[in-house]
Amino acid sequence: MDQAVLLTHLGKTESYVVRTRRRLDRQRRIVADLERGGRDCSRSRYLLRLFEQILARYLAHRDRLRAHIGL
């Protein structure tokens, strides 16, 4: 792949990382609020784990792109 294309992909991936981290923070607050209120938070925990898995994939992809580019 061409360097410019790789840099474009890296930029998009960085953006996905930032957005997913925000979603994770929000979801952690939701789970904490539900737990404090004594409510069932099993679905919210499921989403939290899902967001964590997505973030891990984005980070791995970002790291591969950085290595390929030489950053």
Side-chain angles (χ1 to χ4, degrees):
M1 249 192 242
D2 159 293
Q3 188 85 353
V5 172
L6 290 172
L7 288 170
T8 299
H9 286 303
L10 179 60
K12 288 180 181 180
T13 302
E14 293 284 5
S15 174
Y16 297 150
V17 166
V18 169
R19 288 188 330 202
T20 303
R21 283 186 171 151
R22 285 185 196 139
R23 286 184 180 126
L24 264 170
D25 290 343
R26 182 172 183 266
Q27 196 64 27
R28 285 184 182 118
R29 288 191 303 271
I30 289 169
V31 168
D33 289 345
L34 289 170
E35 286 176 340
R36 259 192 309 277
R39 309 223 10 227
D40 177 24
C41 62
S42 56
R43 288 183 183 177
S44 295
R45 280 193 197 132
Y46 171 79
L47 279 175
L48 179 59
R49 286 190 305 273
L50 185 63
F51 291 148
E52 289 169 341
Q53 291 170 2
I54 291 168
L55 178 61
R57 289 181 183 156
Y58 284 147
L59 291 172
H61 184 62
R62 181 198 63 189
D63 293 346
R64 282 190 301 273
L65 285 170
R66 284 180 175 178
H68 193 70
I69 293 169
L71 298 178

